[in-house]
Amino acid sequence: MSDFLTAHYWNNRYLNNQFGWDLGKVSPPIKEYIDGISNKKLKILIPGCGTGYEGEFIFNKGFNNIHLLDFASQPLHKFHCRNLNFPQANLHIGDFFLHDGKYDLIIEQTFFCAIDPNLRGAYAKKISSLLNPNGKLVGLLFDREFEGGPPFGGSQSEYMDVFKPFFASVSIETCYNSIEPRAGTELFIQMIK
């Protein structure tokens, strides 16, 4: 098994402060999307949430049915230390592919690029199975390649092939409001089950 497919690998990355993908704040495209949602009753999941700045932002906007999931305990511990009022029962340590639940919205932020590219079809299928009818997957994917990995990159056409079999509507567009270091290398996705 590849090291990056273990919780031990990811816990060590966080323990050694090797998480350069972490912005230390909500990603601007996700912030803008959440700012446009008025229904605060949505049940939301953020898989591979890391230290959970997206989750923190969404929770502080008044969404109370938000769930954070990560393979590793360390990033969730960091999140909990910053957000003592967040319901402990909504923090899930575990394997995304074994997670059960039904959600109205799933947020993708640097999880897809962390999994083995051979698992991308399984990821799309699992996301679809976790969504309620008309539920959405929204977030960001890299529009570039990386040497080695993780992260693992890809292209719009590759992603279309991954998601089309599992969603009624697939929208993948160049992201116009990425942070400066990622400008021109991110795609904003909206998939509807």
Side-chain angles (χ1 to χ4, degrees):
M1 176 185 283
S2 299
D3 284 349
F4 64 88
L5 295 177
T6 69
H8 178 75
Y9 171 86
W10 292 105
N11 274 319
N12 280 340
R13 294 283 303 258
Y14 283 97
L15 285 169
N16 294 313
N17 291 316
Q18 296 173 328
F19 48 96
W21 60 88
D22 190 315
L23 302 181
K25 63 180 181 179
V26 62
S27 179
I30 293 173
K31 178 187 182 303
E32 184 174 312
Y33 180 81
I34 295 299
D35 282 343
I37 298 175
S38 58
N39 181 3
K40 306 285 184 172
K41 294 182 180 181
L42 293 176
K43 187 174 182 184
I44 302 171
L45 173 67
I46 304 179
C49 64
T51 54
Y53 285 97
E54 281 69 28
E56 183 174 344
F57 175 78
I58 295 167
F59 182 69
N60 289 333
K61 290 286 290 187
F63 294 83
N64 292 314
N65 200 359
I66 179 165
H67 296 259
L68 305 183
L69 169 67
D70 205 280
F71 210 16
S73 60
Q74 283 302 313
L76 288 176
H77 175 72
K78 289 176 181 282
F79 173 86
H80 180 66
C81 288
R82 291 192 327 267
N83 298 279
L84 297 175
N85 292 330
F86 191 88
Q88 188 79 19
N90 291 9
L91 296 176
H92 308 277
I93 299 169
D95 186 332
F96 162 76
F97 293 101
L98 301 176
H99 183 71
D100 288 320
K102 286 293 183 185
Y103 300 93
D104 302 305
L105 176 62
I106 298 178
I107 301 291
E108 169 55 49
Q109 170 65 6
T110 69
F111 176 52
F112 184 83
C113 70
I115 63 173
D116 187 315
N118 292 323
L119 295 174
R120 288 178 170 177
Y123 166 97
K125 182 177 182 181
K126 182 64 177 181
I127 290 284
S128 180
S129 76
L130 291 170
L131 286 170
N132 287 319
N134 297 310
K136 292 182 182 180
L137 168 66
V138 173
L140 299 164
L141 300 179
F142 281 114
D143 187 21
R144 60 165 288 195
E145 295 296 338
F146 296 92
E147 283 192 39
F152 300 99
S155 68
Q156 184 173 6
S157 62
E158 290 174 58
Y159 302 147
M160 287 295 254
D161 291 343
V162 169
F163 290 102
K164 270 195 162 188
F166 304 102
F167 291 89
S169 173
V170 176
S171 172
I172 304 175
E173 299 178 354
T174 300
C175 191
Y176 67 87
N177 56 349
S178 300
I179 62 166
E180 186 59 37
R182 296 181 187 169
T185 66
E186 286 186 315
L187 299 167
F188 190 76
I189 62 168
Q190 291 191 69
M191 318 287 178
I192 303 174
K193 182 173 176 179

